[in-house]
Amino acid sequence: MLSRSLAPSRQAEPYALWLLPAEPSADQLERTIRDLAERHGTRAFLPHVTLCSGQAVNDASALNELATRWRPQQLKVEGLHWGEDAFTCCYLRLYPSPGADFIAEAQQAFANSHPPAVGLHLSLLYAIPAPDVPFAPSPGVAINRPALAEELQSQLPWLHTRHPDPNVDPNPITLSFDRLALVQPGRGGWRDGWPWKVIATDALVGR
């Protein structure tokens, strides 16, 4: 269960601000992420979109402020992408509605935070795609990207190749998001500090 309260802390700690998908997509994405993690010997995680991250004294006020300002959102899915970093090994690239800039607003609410390197995205697999590179505590995995893409299209039937510019796609795929969450890693940091902890959540209730 996701925690909804946040105990004050007097020292700066690592955190990330997540946007969480709504049902039924959340359950479908969570099953896919868990299945991929089990098959490739890496970590499972909640489906999410990281808006910003940094080091700060725990304070839920910024989370509450954004949740009361933002209404539930529909983000356009541009397609499946691949990266060389463990956390962007396999992800969906997402786009907001025209005029919306969630990352900039999140960074304004959470001072001295950092945006995600690849913009708005939802990861499906955490792994370094090379058999000889360690990904603590599991080894890196060799990934057949074309085969995995085909498999994901069967698991997520709404996922298929899209127009490179979602703003001109006549039939865009969208995912709904209705909550924010503050998350912290364990002592080992984001790469080694498992399990990560959801320390506070808020429903998006803006108008």
Side-chain angles (χ1 to χ4, degrees):
M1 176 180 289
L2 300 183
S3 168
R4 298 190 59 82
S5 62
L6 181 62
S9 172
R10 294 185 178 180
Q11 66 181 44
E13 297 178 308
Y15 74 90
L17 175 66
W18 287 0
L19 188 62
L20 300 178
E23 298 295 353
S25 297
D27 183 62
Q28 185 181 38
L29 288 164
E30 187 170 359
R31 289 198 307 270
T32 296
I33 290 169
R34 185 171 59 247
D35 178 65
L36 290 174
E38 290 176 356
R39 187 142 16 101
H40 293 287
T42 185
R43 301 287 192 176
F45 50 91
L46 287 177
H48 65 275
V49 174
T50 298
L51 298 176
C52 66
S53 59
Q55 293 262 143
V57 174
N58 286 342
D59 182 359
S61 61
L63 178 76
N64 302 147
E65 176 191 341
L66 290 175
T68 55
R69 187 193 312 166
W70 293 349
R71 64 181 184 276
Q73 297 293 325
Q74 298 281 330
L75 299 185
K76 297 178 184 178
V77 179
E78 186 265 308
L80 190 65
H81 289 259
W82 309 92
E84 299 306 320
D85 181 77
F87 298 123
T88 55
C89 172
C90 176
Y91 64 93
L92 303 176
R93 190 185 298 279
L94 305 173
Y95 289 88
S97 301
D101 194 341
F102 299 112
I103 292 177
E105 290 189 47
Q107 285 192 269
Q108 186 175 14
F110 288 81
N112 301 314
S113 60
H114 309 288
V118 297
L120 291 174
H121 68 283
L122 191 150
S123 290
L124 298 174
L125 175 66
Y126 287 167
I128 295 176
D132 57 347
V133 179
F135 179 68
S138 301
V141 293
I143 297 173
N144 183 326
R145 291 180 174 182
L148 181 55
E150 184 176 346
E151 175 187 340
L152 287 172
Q153 287 178 3
S154 66
Q155 290 189 24
L156 306 174
W158 42 263
L159 177 62
H160 55 86
T161 303
R162 309 300 299 174
H163 191 286
D165 182 355
N167 292 319
V168 300
D169 193 327
N171 299 297
I173 296 170
T174 62
L175 288 175
S176 298
F177 294 81
D178 62 359
R179 292 171 295 157
L180 289 173
L182 272 180
V183 184
Q184 287 185 332
R187 288 189 176 184
W190 293 110
R191 290 188 180 272
D192 301 322
W194 296 83
W196 297 347
K197 297 185 300 181
V198 176
I199 57 176
T201 65
D202 251 319
L204 301 181
V205 295
R207 297 185 182 277

